[in-house]
Amino acid sequence: MVSYELLHECKQSGARLGILHTPHGDIQTPVFMPVGTQASVKTLSPEEVASTGARIMLSNTYHLWMRPGPDLVAEAGGLHKFMNWRGAVLTDSGGFQVFSLAERRKIEEEGVHFRSHIDGSPQFLSPEKAMDIQTKLGSDIMMQLDECAPWPSTHEYIEASMQRTLRWLERCKKSWHTPETQSLFGIVQGGMFKDLRQESALRCTEMDLPGYGIGGLSVGEPAELMCEMLEAVTEILPQNKPRYLMGVGTPDYLIEATIRGVDMCDCVWPTRLGRNGSVITSRGRLTIRNATYARDFRPLDPECDCYACRNYSRAYIRHLIKAGEVFGLRLTSYHNIYYLQKLMQKLREAIKEDRTLDFRREFYQNVAEGPAREAAESTGSRA
Amino acid sequence: MVSYELLHECKQSGARLGILHTPHGDIQTPVFMPVGTQASVKTLSPEEVASTGARIMLSNTYHLWMRPGPDLVAEAGGLHKFMNWRGAVLTDSGGFQVFSLAERRKIEEEGVHFRSHIDGSPQFLSPEKAMDIQTKLGSDIMMQLDECAPWPSTHEYIEASMQRTLRWLERCKKSWHTPETQSLFGIVQGGMFKDLRQESALRCTEMDLPGYGIGGLSVGEPAELMCEMLEAVTEILPQNKPRYLMGVGTPDYLIEATIRGVDMCDCVWPTRLGRNGSVITSRGRLTIRNATYARDFRPLDPECDCYACRNYSRAYIRHLIKAGEVFGLRLTSYHNIYYLQKLMQKLREAIKEDRTLDFRREFYQNVAEGPAREAAESTGSRA
C-alpha cells in the first residue's frame, strides 16, 4: 500500500512538500511522472529515466491491454520486471484512451464498448476489467475507471457522468484484491462546475482510498478555469492523502498545480515535444530544427547540466534531427524529462523555504511564455 | 599518423594479431568498426558504442558532405568533438555512396559528376575534393577516392577502372596536407581478376602509405571468389601496414577475412539488421519480430552478457519492436554490435593461441549458417 507523508506546507501558497511511500521506493513530492505508454518511456532506457531523477513512471493500461496483453506481462513477472524498471509504477485505468483513441465507443452503466485502435476488434472495458488488467500488470498505484468528459459539457451531462464515475469507483473498490501491494486511487471528476467538483471530491474522500486523482482538467479549458477547479477540489481532499492531477504537463501548469496543493502530475508532453525536435529551456521553448541553430555550438540550455547539455551542441542535435537520426530524439527527450525533474526539485526546495510564489514570479520572468501565465496573475493562490 | 604493430601470426592460418596506433588511442586488431554514417551509430550513444568494446568508428564522407557539411563540422572542432566520440575515426572517401546512392552519376578522369540524393543539386567529387572534405572532418584515417566497380564486370573495364583509381590515389597523396594527424590509406581494386588485384596491390604498396584498403569485394560475388581475391591481395601487401577490408560484414565473413590476413573491417550490417528486428546470436540469426518469441522470456542470446541480454527478454524486445518503440531497436542494435566486438575479441585470442582454424570450425558447428561456409570448406586458408 502506498502512503503519503506531509512534510511541510509553503507559507506563501499552501503547496505541499511530502513523501509518497511505495513498495518500490519513496518518492519526493510534488513529483512529475514520465510516461512509458507501452512499457517504455519513448526513446529512453529505464536507467536513463532514473538518471533524470525520476523514481515513478506512468504506464498505460489501454495500450498494454491491447499489446502485448496483461497475461503476458503477468507471465513476465509484472510490469516492473518486464521493462526492467526499479522505481514505482502508476497505471491509468485505460478509460482515457478508450475515450480518446478507440473507435465507435459506447458508454453504458456497465462499462464502455469500443473497438481496438489496432485491429478494430470489439472490446469492453468495465471497472472490474480495468482492475483485473491493472492487477495483472502489477502496478504500485492503480486508477479507477472513470469518464473524462469533454469540455465544454452541460451541467446535466457532467453530473450524470460524475455520478456514474462514483459508482464505477465503488465497483473498482470491490474488485480491489491486492491492497497490500497495489493501491487504488479514486478520481475526482465534475467538469468545470465547482459544485460538482466538490461533491465528487467529498464522495471520493468518503471512500477512504490511498490517494485521489483529479481528472477531466487540462482538456482545453482556460488555465484560469483549471486553477479554479483545482482550488475547489484540493480544499476538500484530505491532507494525509496524495493528490494526482492527471495529464499535466507543461512547466507553468506544474507550478500552478503545485501551488494549489497537487502532489503528483504526469504528461507525455516532454517526450512528445522532444520527438518533434523541440526542447524546454530555462528561457523558454526552443525549436531545435530551426535553421537559426545550424551553427549554434552552445548546449540546448546553457543553464542545464544534463547529459545532453554537457556533451552536445545545438548544431549537432539539429543535424541529427534533420538527418532522421534517432539519437537526436533521445537527446531532446532526455533533456526535456531532466528539465521537468529539475523544475520539480526546485519547486520542492521553494516549498521548504516558503517561497513558491516568488519562485513562480521568477519563473515567468525568465520564460515569459505559457498559457497559464495570465491565469496565475488573475487568480492568485490559496495563500 | 597511424602505425601498425604486428604482434603475432596464427600458426594455423597466418591471421594477424596487432595494434593500430592512432592519435585517438590504440586499437587491437583484427577489429570490427561500427558505422556512424551521419556522425551517429544509428540509435546508439557514443558511450554505448564504446561500452561494446569499440575504439574506432567509421563515418561517411558523402553523407556528412551533403549534411551538415564539412565546414560546419570543422567549425565544431572536427568530427570527434562534434559527435562526442573519444575513440578513433575512419572516414571513407564518399566514392562508394556516390556510386550507389547518388543520381545521374558520370565518371571522368577528373572525378565524378552526380546529383545529391537529398535535393538533386549537381555535385562533383574529385580526389582533391574527397581529401579536402576529410581534412575538414578531421578523421584519423582518410580513404582515397576510388571506384568500387560492380560485379560482374569485364577484365577490360576493371583494368581501366583500377588504373584510374591508382591515378586518383596519386592525386589524393598530393592533396594530403595533414600527415601528422591524419593518415591516408590507398585502396586495392581489381574486381575478381587475380592479375589485376595483384597489380593494384603492388602499385598501392609502392606508394608507401600508412595503410591499405581492399575495396570492391563482398559486392555480390560468391564467398569463394572473395576469399581467393583476398588471398591474392594479402600475400602482396606489406606485413608492417594494416589491411582494411571495406564493407564486411557478417560473422562468417569477418572470420574468413581474418584468417586471410585482414586487420580491419566495417559494415552497417549489425545496426541495419537490428533496426529490422533481427539479432545475431551464438546459435545463428534470430528474427525477434516473429510470433515464436511472443512469450519467450529468455535473453536474445543466452550466451551473451551484454546490457540487452542481461536485462531484457525476447518477449519484451519483441513487444517494443511490434509496438514501434525506439528502445527495442536500441537493444537489438546494441546487442549486434556487442556480438561482433566479442567475436573479434575471441578471434584475437584464437590468433594468440594459434587456433583460428579450430575456432572457425567450432563457429560453423554452432551457427550452421552463413554463405561463407561452403567457401571456407572448399578454399581452405593460406596456412
Side-chain angles (χ1 to χ4, degrees):
Chain A
M1 181 80 92
V2 307
S3 65
Y4 176 77
E5 185 182 345
L6 178 62
L7 297 178
H8 182 72
E9 280 183 306
C10 175
K11 292 191 175 65
Q12 276 191 342
S13 68
R16 293 147 50 95
L17 185 74
I19 300 174
L20 187 69
H21 301 282
T22 84
H24 286 88
D26 287 352
I27 291 140
Q28 299 180 56
T29 61
V31 65
F32 174 80
M33 304 181 284
V35 181
T37 304
Q38 303 184 108
S40 170
V41 175
K42 287 199 190 300
T43 79
L44 301 179
S45 73
E47 290 82 4
E48 285 161 354
V49 174
S51 79
T52 66
R55 294 292 174 268
I56 181 167
M57 181 194 294
L58 184 144
S59 203
N60 292 112
T61 289
Y62 171 83
H63 287 283
L64 296 174
W65 175 22
M66 296 294 122
R67 186 169 52 194
D71 291 318
L72 191 149
V73 175
E75 254 184 81
L79 201 44
H80 301 75
K81 199 175 165 202
F82 187 53
M83 63 177 173
N84 185 37
W85 170 249
R86 281 145 208 223
V89 175
L90 180 152
T91 45
D92 60 7
S93 69
F96 186 81
Q97 275 75 29
V98 166
F99 290 112
S100 60
L101 268 186
E103 289 159 33
R104 290 197 271 168
R105 60 174 175 73
K106 200 176 145 215
I107 311 174
E108 292 171 358
E109 182 61 29
E110 189 54 27
V112 197
H113 292 276
F114 65 97
R115 287 183 181 267
S116 154
H117 78 292
I118 294 177
D119 60 7
S121 61
Q123 304 282 351
F124 181 65
L125 182 61
S126 65
E128 292 76 16
K129 181 75 186 175
M131 291 301 287
D132 177 55
I133 300 171
Q134 294 182 85
T135 303
K136 285 172 176 163
L137 296 177
S139 47
D140 301 278
I141 299 173
M142 306 193 281
M143 301 304 298
Q144 74 150 112
L145 183 64
D146 65 331
E147 185 195 355
C148 177
W151 181 81
S153 293
T154 62
H155 192 279
E156 191 189 355
Y157 182 87
I158 292 288
E159 179 159 27
S161 163
M162 182 268 279
Q163 297 290 358
R164 185 172 50 219
T165 285
L166 283 167
R167 291 190 296 276
W168 283 358
L169 177 54
E170 279 171 21
R171 286 165 57 190
C172 284
K173 203 177 168 185
K174 277 188 196 137
S175 305
W176 177 26
H177 306 304
T178 52
E180 293 192 5
T181 52
Q182 300 186 278
S183 295
L184 172 64
F185 279 26
I187 299 176
V188 176
Q189 288 288 352
M192 305 304 158
F193 303 102
K194 194 177 169 185
D195 60 329
L196 300 181
R197 281 281 165 190
Q198 294 203 320
E199 184 185 344
S200 176
L202 205 63
R203 297 273 304 281
C204 279
T205 303
E206 287 166 4
M207 303 266 229
D208 190 26
L209 293 161
Y212 302 96
I214 305 168
L217 292 181
S218 190
V219 291
E221 78 282 8
E224 185 180 339
L225 200 50
M226 179 189 81
C227 290
E228 234 178 84
M229 291 303 116
L230 268 185
E231 287 166 19
V233 167
T234 52
E235 76 179 42
I236 286 183
L237 289 176
Q239 292 292 306
N240 63 341
K241 301 288 174 72
R243 300 99 175 252
Y244 159 36
L245 176 59
M246 305 177 77
V248 164
T250 51
D252 46 1
Y253 272 50
L254 291 173
I255 294 171
E256 300 302 334
T258 296
I259 280 176
R260 286 163 182 84
V262 165
D263 306 304
M264 305 163 67
C265 288
D266 80 286
C267 199
V268 295
W269 181 76
T271 39
R272 186 168 290 169
L273 188 75
R275 291 199 310 289
N276 288 331
S278 290
V279 289
I280 331 167
T281 79
S282 46
R283 302 287 159 175
R285 213 174 294 180
L286 192 146
T287 303
I288 199 71
R289 297 186 70 94
N290 287 352
T292 328
Y293 306 113
R295 302 185 114 81
D296 188 336
F297 298 104
R298 291 174 297 172
L300 292 175
D301 183 352
E303 291 175 37
C304 177
D305 63 349
C306 84
Y307 167 75
C309 289
R310 277 186 288 107
N311 294 298
Y312 303 93
S313 64
R314 294 174 178 183
Y316 179 64
I317 295 170
R318 176 178 186 274
H319 159 66
L320 292 179
I321 288 174
K322 294 289 285 182
E325 288 289 345
V326 160
F327 187 50
L329 306 180
R330 288 178 54 181
L331 291 173
T332 51
S333 299
Y334 183 85
H335 168 81
N336 285 347
I337 290 185
Y338 187 93
Y339 176 90
L340 290 187
Q341 293 299 333
K342 275 277 164 176
L343 176 73
M344 298 315 286
Q345 188 191 313
K346 286 180 203 160
L347 261 172
R348 291 192 296 266
E349 284 160 19
I351 296 172
K352 199 186 269 178
E353 295 163 8
D354 297 311
R355 53 174 180 81
T356 50
L357 298 186
D358 301 339
F359 179 86
R360 175 173 69 178
R361 196 181 52 248
E362 287 155 22
F363 174 84
Y364 285 123
Q365 274 165 3
N366 280 333
V367 173
E369 73 151 11
R373 190 186 180 179
E374 285 164 37
E377 286 165 1
S378 63
T379 64
S381 77
R382 293 194 305 156
Chain B
M1 182 80 92
V2 307
S3 65
Y4 176 77
E5 187 182 345
L6 178 62
L7 296 177
H8 182 71
E9 279 183 307
C10 175
K11 291 191 176 63
Q12 276 190 340
S13 69
R16 293 147 51 95
L17 184 74
I19 300 173
L20 187 68
H21 301 283
T22 84
H24 288 88
D26 287 352
I27 292 140
Q28 299 180 56
T29 62
V31 65
F32 174 79
M33 303 180 284
V35 182
T37 302
Q38 304 184 108
S40 171
V41 175
K42 288 198 190 301
T43 78
L44 302 179
S45 74
E47 290 81 4
E48 285 161 355
V49 174
S51 79
T52 66
R55 293 291 174 268
I56 181 168
M57 179 195 293
L58 185 143
S59 202
N60 292 114
T61 290
Y62 172 82
H63 288 283
L64 296 174
W65 175 22
M66 295 294 122
R67 188 171 50 197
D71 291 318
L72 191 150
V73 175
E75 252 184 83
L79 201 44
H80 300 76
K81 199 175 165 201
F82 187 54
M83 63 178 173
N84 187 34
W85 170 249
R86 280 146 209 222
V89 174
L90 181 151
T91 46
D92 60 7
S93 68
F96 186 81
Q97 276 74 28
V98 166
F99 290 113
S100 60
L101 268 187
E103 290 159 32
R104 288 199 271 167
R105 63 176 172 72
K106 200 176 145 217
I107 312 174
E108 292 171 359
E109 180 63 28
E110 188 55 26
V112 196
H113 292 274
F114 66 97
R115 285 179 183 271
S116 155
H117 79 292
I118 296 177
D119 60 8
S121 61
Q123 303 282 350
F124 181 65
L125 183 60
S126 64
E128 292 75 17
K129 182 76 185 174
M131 291 301 286
D132 177 55
I133 299 171
Q134 294 182 83
T135 303
K136 283 172 177 163
L137 296 177
S139 47
D140 300 280
I141 298 172
M142 307 192 280
M143 302 304 296
Q144 74 151 113
L145 183 64
D146 66 331
E147 185 195 354
C148 177
W151 180 82
S153 293
T154 62
H155 191 279
E156 191 190 354
Y157 183 87
I158 292 288
E159 179 161 26
S161 164
M162 181 269 279
Q163 295 291 356
R164 186 172 49 222
T165 286
L166 283 168
R167 290 190 297 274
W168 283 358
L169 176 54
E170 279 172 23
R171 285 166 58 189
C172 283
K173 202 177 168 187
K174 277 190 195 134
S175 305
W176 178 24
H177 305 305
T178 51
E180 293 192 4
T181 51
Q182 299 186 281
S183 296
L184 173 65
F185 279 26
I187 300 176
V188 175
Q189 288 287 352
M192 304 305 159
F193 302 102
K194 193 177 168 186
D195 60 328
L196 300 182
R197 280 281 167 192
Q198 294 204 318
E199 184 185 344
S200 176
L202 205 63
R203 297 271 305 280
C204 279
T205 304
E206 286 168 3
M207 304 267 230
D208 190 28
L209 294 162
Y212 302 95
I214 305 169
L217 291 180
S218 191
V219 291
E221 77 283 8
E224 184 178 342
L225 200 49
M226 179 190 81
C227 290
E228 233 178 84
M229 292 302 115
L230 268 185
E231 287 166 19
V233 167
T234 52
E235 76 179 43
I236 286 182
L237 290 176
Q239 292 291 306
N240 62 341
K241 300 289 173 71
R243 299 98 174 253
Y244 158 36
L245 177 58
M246 305 178 78
V248 165
T250 51
D252 46 1
Y253 272 49
L254 290 173
I255 295 170
E256 299 302 336
T258 296
I259 280 176
R260 286 164 180 83
V262 164
D263 307 303
M264 305 162 69
C265 287
D266 80 286
C267 200
V268 295
W269 182 75
T271 39
R272 186 168 289 167
L273 188 76
R275 291 199 311 286
N276 288 332
S278 290
V279 289
I280 331 166
T281 80
S282 47
R283 302 285 158 176
R285 214 174 296 181
L286 193 146
T287 303
I288 199 71
R289 299 185 67 95
N290 287 353
T292 328
Y293 306 113
R295 300 184 115 79
D296 188 336
F297 298 105
R298 290 176 297 171
L300 292 175
D301 183 352
E303 292 176 39
C304 178
D305 63 350
C306 83
Y307 167 76
C309 290
R310 277 186 289 109
N311 295 297
Y312 303 93
S313 65
R314 293 173 179 184
Y316 179 65
I317 295 172
R318 176 178 186 273
H319 160 67
L320 292 180
I321 288 176
K322 294 289 284 182
E325 289 288 346
V326 160
F327 188 50
L329 306 180
R330 286 179 56 181
L331 292 173
T332 51
S333 299
Y334 183 86
H335 168 82
N336 285 347
I337 289 187
Y338 187 93
Y339 176 90
L340 290 188
Q341 294 298 332
K342 275 277 167 177
L343 177 72
M344 298 315 288
Q345 189 192 312
K346 286 180 202 158
L347 260 172
R348 291 192 296 266
E349 283 161 18
I351 296 173
K352 200 187 268 179
E353 296 162 7
D354 297 311
R355 52 172 181 81
T356 49
L357 298 186
D358 299 340
F359 179 86
R360 176 173 68 180
R361 195 181 54 248
E362 287 154 22
F363 174 84
Y364 285 123
Q365 275 164 4
N366 280 333
V367 173
E369 73 152 9
R373 187 182 181 180
E374 287 166 37
E377 286 165 0
S378 64
T379 64
S381 77
R382 293 194 305 156

